Amino acid sequence: MRVLGIETSCDETGIAIYDTEQGLLSHALYSQVKLHADYGGVVPELASRDHVRKTLPLIRKALADANLTAEDIDGVAYTAGPGLIGALLVGATIGRSLAFGWNVPAVGVHHMEGHLLAPMLEDNKPEFPFIALLVSGGHTQLVQVDGIGEYSLLGESVDDAAGEAFDKTAKLLGLDYPGGPRLAAMADSGVADRFLFPRPMTDKPGLNFSFSGLKTAAAQAIAKNGKDAQTQADIARAFQDAVVDTLIIKCQRALQQTGLNRLVVAGGVSANVRLRAMLEETMKKRGGEVFYPRSEFCTDNGAMIAFAGAQRLAAKQTAELSVKVRPRWPLTELAPL
Amino acid sequence: MNSSRLLAIDSATEYCSVAYTDGQQLITRGQEAPRKHADLILPYVQDVLAEAKITLADLDAIVVGRGPGSFTGVRIAAGIAQGLAFSQDIPLIGVSSLEAMAQQALRLHGAKAVVAAIDARMGEVYFGTCLAEHGLMVMQGKEIVCAPDTVKALAAEYEWFTVGTGFVTYPEVLAARFGTEARVTPTDIRFPHAEDMLPIATQRLINGKAVAAEDFDVHYVRNEVTWQKLPGRS
């Protein structure tokens, strides 16, 4: 079965075609990062307007790149939530009506399920069950995954998501939106342990996170220590180390608690090099294994939606003709396959 | 020459509608249903096609309300119209919400001149005037978004029919601007209907004004909204 995947939940238009026999056939992405940089964050209305302009041209490109025509597509998957309602509606209306016009089934995909299953697009796929750490600008969640659609939420952030904390702290350091990756680059030249930030919520039991206090710690360090390049890099380093340490402590706890030894890490922050290195080391020590998507599929993309949608469509889970999106949609409400 | 087979979709305002014509029969669906447009349109389309005993493959083009109106509403119709048109490799024809309401005034009241205003929130209206030419309403100049107390006086030579929610929200303010010489006849028309986009679109198709699905542009009209750039960015 060949499935066209459409992702428009935030500021990336992602289109891909996945074949359940042959794997990923093509993928195309347009990032609106430059459009939103001048505003210091994603402007929902501008994001929606841009998705309208980009979705069909990218679908045409994905079909051409895969050497396919419309007749070759057996189903359409689109992100139905969570995300920005206006942005979601663009991909959902186009995707649902395309499927209707092509006379093939459609399915609305949960964006975080897409992220969570993204490592299955790689050669080294995790087997169920596993623990998933979902870390992005919108989410920080630890999930026990027993199968597709069988998710138990073990813990999540009570305030800022990890990626959000990265972007906000980057802003304090004078970096352009989205500053998370730039902060990480800056941290490379930082001296470890010149500043020591807290590892929030690690001193008591539980798997929840809190990252808003780290931003405050960084703001105080910036205010007290001036703004020379080395100090800024040292603060970036201290911040990144605190986030990475905290994530690792909680991942270990989740593995301990569930007795599992496979860890999947997905979402934009999973592209962070320091986090990957530390996770590799940790899992090696435990005799377990860590899985991630390739870097380009850590951030939002159409491939993960095409993949997750293909699993749902193969199980005959299809969308009705009404176009439904859910800006808020708990992962745990999903049906098993 | 056989007439074109057109399917029109509009959800730019609180009303959402679908209409089909082949030059002979006219089949329509619609209702005032704010926030339900995404639920309703495709089932309406399916219904209308079934009643007409045709499939999408029989259509010559898709017609869509291009705005102005609710940003999200316009995009729902646009997204569905784009998907349908792309799936059949047929073109799209956009029709203004204001023109469609004017055409409705012509259909229901025989109006020759129409002044259209949609409540655009934020103390403004989407505004335009239309005159009938050979049975079709034609926008005079550009459609604009402006404060209701800044619209121009109406030419005294026509009887102007009023349409749109702008006249529900700002009846006195607008009337005062039209001038004492203006002859103004109110109507009950508040929303556009896809049905009235069909005659306008039929002519546009003949005139070569249809576009490829991916080249279709939404006419938001309001392009400066409440978002602000960071200091120093232009």
Side-chain angles (χ1 to χ4, degrees), chain A residues 9 34 94 127 142 146 154 196 203 255 262 276 326:
Chain A
S9 69
K34 280 190 194 127
I94 292 176
E127 279 175 37
L142 273 166
D146 293 315
L154 304 174
L196 192 62
D203 55 348
L255 293 164
R262 278 185 294 271
R276 287 196 172 202
R326 289 186 64 179

Side-chain angles (χ1 to χ4, degrees), chain A residues 37-40 43-46 48-49 52-53 56-57 59-60 63 70 85-86 89-90 93-102 171 176 321-324, chain B residues 38-40 42-43 45-46 49 56 71-72 75-76 78-84 86-89 213-214 217-218 220 222-223 225 227-230 233-234:
Chain A
D38 283 349
Y39 301 91
V43 181
E45 176 58 25
L46 291 181
S48 304
R49 290 185 180 195
V52 175
R53 288 187 287 265
L56 283 183
I59 290 173
R60 204 178 275 291
L63 283 167
I85 185 164
L89 273 168
V90 175
T93 50
I94 292 176
R96 188 66 198 87
S97 57
L98 264 182
F100 176 72
W102 286 339
K171 201 171 181 178
D176 258 6
L321 210 43
S322 292
V323 179
K324 306 278 189 196
Chain B
D39 285 351
L40 292 172
L42 279 175
V45 169
Q46 189 177 43
L49 294 175
L56 285 171
F71 295 158
T72 299
R75 272 194 296 269
I76 288 170
I80 289 177
Q82 280 189 314
L84 294 178
F86 189 91
S87 76
Q88 306 304 315
D89 205 12
E214 56 257 64
D217 274 327
V218 172
Y220 296 102
R222 174 181 277 153
N223 291 313
V225 196
W227 51 79
Q228 278 196 337
K229 290 193 177 183
L230 297 171
R233 311 289 174 102
S234 58

